[in-house]
Amino acid sequence: MPTERPKISVPTDKREQILNGAMQVFLTHGYAGTSMDRVAATAGVSKQTIYSHFQDKQGLFTALIDRVTRDRFQIVFGALPLTGEPERVLRKIADTLLHSIAEDTEYIAFIRLVIGESGRFPELARQFVGTIPKRAIATLSKYFENHRELNCPDPEATTRIFLGSLVSFVLMQNVLEGEAVMPMDGDRLVERLITLVLQSS
């Protein structure tokens, strides 16, 4: 009886190499226009290596969503659970989201990609929403819930108002190029938003 050959494990840096190549291809050609051949050529690996890590194109894109959103979530929310005075915590989140994320050209391009492909591939949009937006809402909702001094009757709705205003600003100004049409200082929005949230809670 022949002995079973041991499986050869590919170094984790190979996975990152594939994801880096895949990002370039997806952003250039879109989801529908991306093939494993293109990803393999750009990443400098074989198609079989890609399949061994990600199974198929959707698995590859899902892994890319996970990597992109995990990194950005850490940038905005930092250490968990959230601690500190509400005004300081909200200002840090808002400032980081508007400045660090809005100036992240790769992330903005990735959001454009997800939005652009959402009509034909709604499952991709659902996967994206299920990562950073869902986790961000749950995290900040818990913070509002734990700070009873805010008298916040609906932590989730308050969170959606706060984060929704910031995300809408980034989408309008950076993704849809609204900055050239109706520019507005982000710090001005942050000041009013924090005041409204804290006064209404």
Side-chain angles (χ1 to χ4, degrees):
M1 181 176 178
T3 57
E4 186 175 331
R5 292 183 179 179
K7 292 183 178 179
I8 300 174
S9 60
V10 182
T12 54
D13 59 344
K14 184 69 70 175
R15 179 183 175 90
E16 288 302 304
Q17 183 179 334
I18 296 169
L19 289 174
N20 290 336
M23 175 66 88
Q24 294 180 45
V25 178
F26 278 122
L27 293 183
T28 301
H29 300 283
Y31 184 80
T34 291
S35 67
M36 289 303 203
D37 286 316
R38 278 177 166 159
V39 174
T42 303
V45 300
S46 68
K47 284 199 298 183
Q48 187 56 45
T49 300
I50 299 175
Y51 287 127
S52 70
H53 278 277
F54 305 103
Q55 296 187 339
D56 54 23
K57 184 167 75 170
Q58 184 169 342
L60 177 58
F61 195 79
T62 299
L64 203 55
I65 288 175
D66 180 67
R67 188 184 75 165
V68 168
T69 56
R70 183 182 63 245
D71 292 346
R72 274 61 179 192
F73 183 90
Q74 184 64 33
I75 290 172
V76 175
F77 288 92
L80 296 176
L82 296 176
T83 57
E85 292 302 312
E87 182 175 354
R88 184 180 66 81
V89 169
L90 295 180
R91 187 176 302 282
K92 176 184 177 296
I93 292 173
D95 286 343
T96 306
L97 199 155
L98 288 192
H99 296 296
S100 297
I101 300 301
E103 295 170 7
D104 186 338
T105 55
E106 182 181 80
Y107 190 55
I108 294 299
F110 192 76
I111 292 175
R112 284 197 181 102
L113 170 62
V114 173
I115 293 173
E117 300 284 16
S118 62
R120 288 181 295 174
F121 304 101
E123 68 277 8
L124 301 180
R126 286 194 292 267
Q127 288 170 7
F128 180 82
V129 171
T131 55
I132 190 169
K134 185 176 181 179
R135 188 180 177 196
I137 289 172
T139 299
L140 191 53
S141 294
K142 190 67 176 177
Y143 177 81
F144 280 127
E145 184 181 327
N146 289 338
H147 281 260
R148 300 187 183 280
E149 74 275 13
L150 293 175
N151 296 316
C152 185
D154 193 335
E156 183 181 354
T158 302
T159 295
R160 285 176 177 258
I161 291 169
F162 182 77
L163 293 179
S165 297
L166 296 170
V167 171
S168 175
F169 183 83
V170 171
L171 287 174
M172 188 70 70
Q173 299 296 104
N174 301 95
V175 178
L176 299 177
E177 306 296 336
E179 190 172 21
V181 181
M182 48 180 197
M184 180 180 180
D185 180 29
D187 293 335
R188 177 182 165 199
L189 176 79
V190 170
E191 289 296 335
R192 292 304 305 146
L193 181 59
I194 291 176
T195 299
L196 286 172
V197 169
L198 294 182
Q199 286 183 347
S200 63
S201 297

